[in-house]
Amino acid sequence: MSGIIDPGRIKWESNRVAANPSVPTDIATAEQLAEDIDALGHRLHSARESIGRVIFGQQDVVDRTLITLLAGGHALLIGVPGLAKTRLVETLGTVFGLDDKRVQCTPDLMPADILGSEVLEESESGKRSFRFIPGPVFGQLLMADEINRASPRTQSALLQAMQERQVTVAGVPHDLPRPFHVLATQNPLEQEGTYPLPEAQLDRFIMEIDVGYPDLEAERQMLLATTGAETVEATGIMSADELLSAQRVVRRVPVADGIVDAVLALVRDGRPESSSIPELGEQIAWGPGPRASQALMLAIRARAVLDGRLSPSMDDVVELAAPVLRHRMSLNFTARADGVSIDDVIARLIARFK
C-alpha cells in the first residue's frame, strides 16, 4: 500500500478546476483532500492488516469487499461453501464497528422474516395498538447467505432496501440505518431449488466478487491458526461514522478526463446497440446500463483511496471492469454455442486499455 501523496499532484489538480467541476475549487481544498486521502489510506492499511489476521489467502476478495464498502454499495460473493465468506462479513463488522446481521435464505423464507412485521399489543389499560418489530434488514451490514435460495417474493423485498435504504411495511416507510450494506452469497455449484436473481436486482450489486480457493501457503497458515489452542480475532479500526466519512472522501476524489472517457467507452462497448467492436456486438444479448458506469466510477475512486492515491488510473479501470460488468451482461445463444464466456467478452473490452 502506498500512503505517500505526491505534492506535485496537488498543483495538477488545481490546474484542472476549470475543465472539470468535480475537481476542488482551490489549492487549499486540494491540499485538505490530499491530507484526508493520506490519513484514510493509513487507516485502511490497518484495517487490511486486522482482516488479514483472520482471513487467509483472499487478498483480492478482501480488497474488493473493502472497495464495495468505501463506494457505499453492495456486493455479491460467488463461491463454494467453506471459503470464509461468512467469516469475512463478521470480520468486516468488527473492523468497521458495524452492526452485522445474517439471514440464511431458504425457499420458505418470507419477506416479513427479513423486513420485520407489525404485532398487535394490548396495554394494561386495555388499549390495543400495533407495534413494528424490525427484522434483520435493520442492521448496518447484512449478510444474505445463498440469496438465490430465497423465493422471488423475498428477493424483491430486499430490492427496495438495497436501492432506497428504506423498507415499507403495512404502508409505512421505515428508514434503514446508515451505513447500510448487503453482502450476499451464492453457491455456483448446487442450483437445485434455487431462484436466479432477476437482472434488476443484480444491477443493484456494485460488484460480483468471485471467491476462489486459497493457495497452498495460505491454506497451511489457516490450518495452523484455526486448529490450535489460541484463537485470533480481528480488532476494531474504524467506526460506522468514520466509514460514512470515508465514503464522502471517495466521492470527492478527482478523476481525469481520460479515465472518465475510458469508463464510458468500456460500458458503451458492452452494449450491442452502441458497441464499436462489431464482433462483440453480435455476441451480446444485452449489456450494462448507466448504473454500471456509476458503479465503475465509484469503484475506481475507492480503489485509489484504498491504495493512498489521489486519483484513479487506467489500471484501476482494467482491474475492476470484470467484477463490475460480469453480472450486468448476457450473451446470446450463438455466442454460448460457440463456447464464448462473459469473461472472454470483458477481456476483449479491456484489451485496448492495458
Side-chain angles (χ1 to χ4, degrees):
M1 145 159 172
S2 171
I4 301 175
I5 302 298
D6 182 3
R9 294 185 66 86
I10 298 176
K11 182 178 179 180
W12 175 79
E13 297 297 341
S14 61
N15 290 337
R16 295 183 60 251
V17 170
N20 190 339
S22 68
V23 175
T25 55
D26 54 58
I27 190 64
T29 304
E31 290 175 345
Q32 182 60 53
L33 176 59
E35 292 177 4
D36 292 344
I37 293 176
D38 189 34
L40 179 55
H42 283 89
R43 298 294 298 277
L44 293 172
H45 179 63
S46 299
R48 274 171 160 170
E49 290 183 338
S50 182
I51 296 171
R53 290 196 291 267
V54 180
I55 307 298
F56 304 97
Q58 300 285 6
Q59 193 57 54
D60 284 345
V61 175
V62 171
D63 285 351
R64 290 177 180 181
T65 308
L66 288 175
I67 289 170
T68 298
L69 297 184
L70 290 172
H74 317 288
L76 185 61
L77 304 173
I78 307 293
V80 299
L83 296 180
K85 297 186 292 296
T86 302
R87 183 67 166 159
L88 173 61
V89 177
E90 294 173 351
T91 303
L92 289 170
T94 299
V95 171
F96 289 98
L98 302 177
D99 177 24
D100 61 285
K101 299 184 184 296
R102 179 177 181 271
V103 173
Q104 180 65 51
C105 296
T106 58
D108 60 348
L109 189 72
M110 299 299 292
D113 297 327
I114 296 178
L115 305 183
S117 57
E118 290 192 326
V119 296
L120 183 63
E121 291 186 333
E122 184 174 348
S123 64
E124 295 180 357
S125 62
K127 182 180 179 180
R128 294 183 178 181
S129 60
F130 284 98
R131 181 169 68 91
F132 176 67
I133 300 179
V137 76
F138 286 86
Q140 295 170 318
L141 186 62
L142 174 66
M143 179 178 186
D145 204 4
E146 294 192 291
I147 189 173
N148 56 330
R149 292 200 177 279
S151 67
R153 181 179 180 186
T154 303
Q155 290 176 5
S156 64
L158 277 174
L159 189 59
Q160 182 188 17
M162 293 171 62
Q163 181 63 27
E164 301 176 20
R165 264 65 173 186
Q166 70 172 15
V167 297
T168 303
V169 179
V172 179
H174 301 273
D175 291 332
L176 296 175
R178 299 289 192 276
F180 174 72
H181 302 278
V182 175
L183 298 181
T185 70
Q186 280 191 190
N187 179 353
L189 301 179
E190 188 179 1
Q191 299 300 316
E192 184 177 353
T194 62
Y195 303 88
L197 293 177
E199 287 74 18
Q201 187 153 359
L202 285 172
D203 202 28
R204 264 65 178 187
F205 290 102
I206 192 170
M207 278 197 286
E208 178 186 298
I209 303 173
D210 286 337
V211 184
Y213 292 107
D215 59 33
L216 176 60
E217 189 55 39
E219 193 163 359
R220 181 191 300 275
Q221 185 182 3
M222 177 192 65
L223 181 64
L224 296 175
T226 57
T227 60
E230 297 183 0
T231 302
V232 180
E233 298 291 342
T235 56
I237 302 297
M238 298 172 64
S239 66
D241 288 338
E242 288 174 323
L243 177 57
L244 286 173
S245 298
Q247 292 172 355
R248 289 191 288 269
V249 170
V250 167
R251 288 180 172 269
R252 291 167 54 203
V253 170
V255 182
D257 293 337
I259 303 299
V260 175
D261 292 340
V263 169
L264 289 171
L266 186 64
V267 173
R268 293 182 64 83
D269 280 346
R271 302 170 188 165
E273 302 85 0
S274 59
S275 180
S276 63
I277 309 175
E279 59 269 27
L280 291 186
E282 295 173 358
Q283 295 173 336
I284 301 170
W286 51 268
R291 194 177 282 116
S293 304
Q294 297 168 336
L296 186 54
M297 181 65 74
L298 285 172
I300 63 175
R301 280 176 159 147
R303 189 171 189 261
V305 170
L306 187 63
D307 288 342
R309 290 181 279 114
L310 262 184
S311 185
S313 67
M314 199 66 74
D315 289 340
D316 298 318
V317 178
V318 171
E319 177 68 23
L320 297 178
V324 171
L325 298 180
R326 187 181 293 122
H327 58 296
R328 292 183 165 97
M329 302 173 65
S330 179
L331 301 180
N332 55 34
F333 176 79
T334 302
R336 295 196 302 270
D338 292 339
V340 178
S341 68
I342 287 290
D343 287 337
D344 294 334
V345 171
I346 295 176
R348 287 288 310 278
L349 289 174
I350 64 177
R352 58 180 167 149
F353 299 113
K354 290 184 177 180

